[in-house]
Every structure is written in C-alpha cells, then in structure tokens.
Amino acid sequence: LFAKVFVIETIVSCTSALSKNRYGWNIHEVGLLGCANGLFVIPFSIFVGYVSKSYQDRYLMVCLLSAGICGLSLLIDVSDLVGGEDNARTYNKNHWLSVGPSQYVIGYFLAYISIQSFEGVIGSAMSKLIPTALATGTFNSGLLATLVDTFGRSCGDIFISVMGYINIRQLMNLLFIPGVTILIACLVIVRKYYDLLAV
C-alpha cells in the first residue's frame, strides 16, 4: 500500500514541473492530461472490479504490477543515461532513446491507471487476509491503511522535492528509476508469497 501511494504520488505531483521543463507545456496541457487521466482510470477500475469475479486477487496484483512496471519503464529516458546533452534545456529531442511527449503520455497513462486500479485489489485482499481482531477498535485496519496512505504520499512529495533540488534536468530518471525498482520489489514479494494470497 505504501509503495503504491508513493509511486502514484511521484507520477502525479511532478507532472507540471516535469512537462513544463522537458516539453514546454502550459497549464492547459497539463490540466488536459490530468482530466483525461481521471476519465480513463474510472472505467478501468470498474473493469478490474468486474474481472475480479473471475480471477483471484493475487493474479490481478501480478498483472497490474507488471503493467505499472511497463508504464514506468517507458518514462525512463535512456538518452540521458548514455550521454545525452546535459546542457540541453529540454529533452534530447533528436535522440532515438529519448522520451518524447507521446511516449510520456502513454507511459503516464499506463503506469497511473494500472497502479491506481491496484488499490481496489489491495483493499479486496486486505479484507480477506487481515484477522478480524484488526477490524475493530480505534486502531483498526482501515485507520492503519489510511495512515500508511498518508505516509506514502508525504514521502513521495518529499522525494520529488529532494530529487528536483539535486537535478531538475534529470528529474524524470531520478523519480522513475526508483519507482520501477519499488514496483519490481512489490512484484517479487507478491510472487514469493503467492500461495499465501490464495483467497
């Protein structure tokens, strides 16, 4: 849950700074991206809920994490890693390994929609796996999940600020390489405990 919120926060909260610095987008283009994102995520979440009748939560976790990893991988600008123009103000436009606006939008949608839909699957799995003793009292599983959510969001915002301070030109790689690593770690954990998640 922490990893999911942390990665989502790094994807969404950096959008305006990242798109303005790399692609020269204005506020209207950033707003359009956010609006389209919201329009896509709701039907997809409904679809995941419908599909969950036929597939176990653990299978959906693997699928959604894999899609999230693919989406975030599209956002890693390899041209900056292999000696792109460090003094360039925007992205390495003529380099075939660079992440242009179209690839950014595709990766953004794929990562955001799959990871955001992952939340419903986590909630479903938690409701089946958490002992009933944690469902009562003040410090119940719902409160703990909210606290973890808030902590993940705060850590994501702090992480964006620190990475932007380190190097705003390399912000995309500084945010999304760790994001991919976190999602891969989550996928490994889900696969490791796959039998325990059979509910």
Side-chain angles (χ1 to χ4, degrees):
L1 191 58
F2 172 85
K4 173 254 169 201
V5 174
F6 180 87
V7 173
I8 283 291
E9 194 67 19
T10 58
I11 293 171
V12 173
S13 294
C14 76
T15 303
S16 56
L18 198 59
S19 57
K20 181 179 181 235
N21 287 315
R22 287 184 68 88
Y23 310 121
W25 288 5
N26 60 37
I27 191 70
H28 300 294
E29 291 165 318
V30 175
L32 182 63
L33 179 66
C35 181
N37 208 18
L39 291 175
F40 283 123
V41 78
I42 294 170
F44 190 77
S45 294
I46 292 169
F47 172 73
V48 169
Y50 177 76
V51 170
S52 67
K53 296 182 208 174
S54 306
Y55 296 96
Q56 290 187 347
D57 294 335
R58 60 184 182 165
Y59 177 76
L60 293 175
M61 285 181 180
V62 170
C63 292
L64 292 171
L65 280 171
S66 300
I69 291 167
C70 291
L72 271 186
S73 297
L74 288 174
L75 299 177
I76 295 173
D77 196 327
V78 181
S79 69
D80 284 339
L81 299 174
V82 295
E85 303 170 38
D86 286 334
N87 58 354
R89 291 189 57 126
T90 61
Y91 71 105
N92 303 315
K93 193 170 188 178
N94 297 321
H95 200 291
W96 67 280
L97 290 172
S98 66
V99 176
S102 300
Q103 185 174 336
Y104 175 73
V105 170
I106 292 167
Y108 181 90
F109 279 147
L110 184 59
Y112 181 81
I113 291 170
S114 58
I115 298 168
Q116 192 64 34
S117 300
F118 185 59
E119 184 172 9
V121 180
I122 293 172
S124 174
M126 280 177 58
S127 69
K128 297 168 190 169
L129 294 171
I130 289 184
T132 53
L134 285 176
T136 58
T138 304
F139 292 100
N140 57 41
S141 57
L143 175 65
L144 296 175
T146 303
L147 291 175
V148 169
D149 248 19
T150 305
F151 184 62
R153 193 165 283 114
S154 302
C155 289
D157 290 334
I158 292 168
F159 186 66
I160 292 169
S161 300
V162 170
M163 293 302 113
Y165 180 75
I166 290 172
N167 190 339
I168 194 76
R169 171 67 179 81
Q170 296 285 341
L171 185 61
M172 182 173 269
N173 286 338
L174 289 172
L175 292 177
F176 300 139
I177 291 174
V180 167
T181 306
I182 289 169
L183 290 184
I184 290 172
C186 289
L187 183 59
V188 168
I189 290 169
V190 169
R191 291 299 302 163
K192 182 178 179 181
Y193 297 105
Y194 198 70
D195 292 338
L196 291 175
L197 295 170
V199 287

